[in-house]
Amino acid sequence: MQVPKRVAVLLSGGVDSSVAAFLLKKQGYDVVGITGKMFCSPSSEELIKNAKKVAAYLGIEHYVCDVSDAFQQYVIQYFQNSYKKGETPNPCIRCNKMIKWGKIFDFAFKEAGVDYVATGHYANIVEKDGVFKLYPAKDEKKDQLYYLFELDQYQLSKTLFPLSGYLKAEVRTIAEKNNLPSKSSKESQDICFIQKPMTTKTYLLEQFGEKPGDIVMLTTGQIIGKHFGAHQYTIGQRKGIGVAYKSPLYVLECDVAKNIVYVGTKEELYKTSIKTDNLKFQSGVEQLEFQAKVKIRYNMQKENALVKKINDKWVFEFEKPVYAVTKGQAVVVYDKVDSHLIAGGWL
């Protein structure tokens, strides 16, 4: 009789990871749950408590992996430093690389003795001729490939995504029909360490304090208002600028060194070409020039672009202008035909 493969599900106590664990157990895997303790707070303890309830209900072993020091260093500090430099960070991608497929991934194999790690991400891994590729999940609205571009071939070979063939509504139905403790859980927050009612703006004010400076029209150099810290603004921002003007204003640039926020019209935010220093090909095979679909942030449509390497830079030439290119965000490249993830880098 074949011994079932042992799988660690990264269990948050939410509906997606709970259903992932439920499905794997139903398929005959030897399932364990691992919950990362990301930071020391009541919300983190509540998350662990919810995950323990799910594990107990499913009758699976449960581990808590304390990654709070690493999370502080690699995610929270990175987040704060990015804003200090006038960039807009993406903590979820950073967390996936350094924490979920970093510290917790290693813990799963070394301490829990598993064969695979699984999560509730909406993505699909396909192996062909020994190469692992990420494809979109069935639920295109929940597609999370953008956040997973840093995963390498070994990590993909040891990862399972049980929700790849399900719509979010179907996942909720499974949780309700099987009375999982997470059946009524809400969607997780984008930035888990900033708890409501706190916002990113109030969080940054608390961290850095107020630093009054000028709001300036980029094209004319005219000072049209004051702000309380250039680090609080992001490219493309419209709401919360705090200046009454004859037409809608958008943040075009943030000069943190000089503490100036430059604003202008929406039209000034569009670009047809962008560059980056780095591009990581998930297959490990670099292509020097090719047509692809490209995203420069998660919640945008993929846009057609020519991707090519010129000297040490990667250049993206778009068929249509793209909106609000933001330093610190990820640029992710997909195949034009089947939308599998090809590569990703940082702007």
Side-chain angles (χ1 to χ4, degrees):
M1 183 177 175
Q2 189 176 8
V3 177
K5 294 285 187 181
R6 189 166 164 88
V7 181
V9 177
L10 273 54
L11 205 57
S12 69
V15 67
D16 290 331
S17 63
S18 301
V19 171
F22 171 81
L23 292 172
L24 288 170
K25 189 178 180 190
K26 193 176 177 183
Q27 291 166 22
Y29 287 96
D30 174 17
V31 179
V32 302
I34 299 180
T35 303
K37 182 178 180 179
M38 305 297 189
F39 39 89
C40 299
S41 72
S43 63
S44 184
E45 294 302 325
E46 184 69 19
L47 185 148
I48 292 169
K49 187 170 81 173
N50 291 339
K52 283 188 177 296
K53 284 182 185 175
V54 173
Y57 183 82
L58 293 175
I60 63 174
E61 198 176 350
H62 183 252
Y63 297 81
V64 176
C65 178
D66 188 342
V67 291
S68 53
D69 288 345
F71 191 84
Q72 175 67 38
Q73 178 184 352
Y74 295 121
V75 180
I76 296 177
Q77 205 59 55
Y78 147 79
F79 180 84
Q80 294 175 5
N81 290 342
S82 293
Y83 275 103
K84 280 182 184 177
K85 294 187 290 185
E87 299 177 356
T88 301
N90 198 311
C92 293
I93 296 175
R94 185 77 169 175
C95 180
N96 281 338
K97 179 184 180 182
M98 305 303 296
I99 308 299
K100 291 178 183 174
W101 277 271
K103 296 292 184 182
I104 300 175
F105 187 86
D106 292 343
F107 176 91
F109 287 95
K110 291 174 184 175
E111 304 298 327
V114 301
D115 301 296
Y116 295 98
V117 163
T119 75
H121 283 86
Y122 289 81
N124 185 27
I125 299 172
V126 177
E127 183 267 331
K128 185 178 179 182
D129 299 328
V131 177
F132 293 83
K133 294 180 181 180
L134 274 173
Y135 284 80
K138 179 182 177 181
D139 195 332
E140 293 183 9
K141 291 180 181 177
K142 291 290 295 179
D143 176 50
Q144 292 173 301
L145 267 61
Y146 182 85
Y147 296 115
L148 302 169
F149 82 85
E150 293 269 29
L151 301 192
D152 62 28
Q153 284 293 296
Y154 176 72
Q155 290 165 331
L156 290 176
S157 74
K158 294 294 183 179
T159 299
L160 302 176
F161 292 129
L163 305 187
S164 62
Y166 293 88
L167 299 174
K168 178 72 180 207
E170 294 172 329
V171 169
R172 284 232 175 254
T173 299
I174 292 169
E176 289 162 5
K177 281 186 175 179
N178 294 280
N179 203 31
L180 296 182
S182 59
K183 63 183 180 182
S184 302
S185 66
K186 297 177 181 178
E187 288 289 287
S188 59
Q189 293 178 226
D190 285 342
I191 304 175
C192 62
F193 55 90
I194 300 179
Q195 296 292 312
K196 291 179 180 179
M198 184 174 278
T199 63
T200 300
K201 187 169 185 176
T202 55
Y203 175 86
L204 293 172
L205 266 174
E206 188 178 273
Q207 294 298 317
F208 306 138
E210 291 185 356
K211 191 179 178 184
D214 293 329
I215 297 175
V216 176
M217 291 294 289
L218 183 65
T219 52
T220 65
Q222 177 190 3
I223 298 172
I224 60 168
K226 295 287 182 181
H227 62 75
F228 295 101
H231 53 264
Q232 296 176 38
Y233 296 81
T234 187
I235 307 302
Q237 180 179 333
R238 179 184 173 188
K239 294 181 180 179
I241 295 175
V243 175
Y245 199 68
K246 57 188 178 184
S247 58
L249 292 175
Y250 294 80
V251 176
L252 304 181
E253 291 180 21
C254 298
D255 188 332
V256 174
K258 295 180 180 177
N259 199 30
I260 298 173
V261 174
Y262 292 98
V263 297
T265 64
K266 187 175 184 179
E267 288 70 30
E268 292 173 272
L269 281 166
Y270 286 91
K271 292 187 178 181
T272 55
S273 178
I274 62 174
K275 294 179 182 179
T276 185
D277 294 329
N278 60 84
L279 201 60
K280 176 182 178 180
F281 285 78
Q282 201 159 61
S283 68
V285 179
E286 196 173 273
Q287 302 175 49
L288 296 181
E289 183 171 330
F290 58 100
Q291 295 284 345
K293 296 272 190 182
V294 177
K295 276 188 177 188
I296 58 167
R297 60 186 166 276
Y298 172 68
N299 60 347
M300 70 171 277
Q301 294 291 321
K302 302 182 188 81
E303 297 291 349
N304 292 328
L306 173 64
V307 183
K308 56 185 177 180
K309 192 172 189 180
I310 300 177
N311 298 323
D312 292 329
K313 299 281 187 182
W314 288 95
V315 179
F316 301 80
E317 296 175 355
F318 290 91
E319 284 184 9
K320 296 192 299 184
V322 290
Y323 177 73
V325 178
T326 307
K327 194 174 181 183
Q329 283 288 288
V331 53
V332 180
V333 184
Y334 306 80
D335 185 84
K336 281 192 77 170
V337 178
D338 60 21
S339 291
H340 79 263
L341 195 152
I342 296 174
W346 295 95
L347 293 170

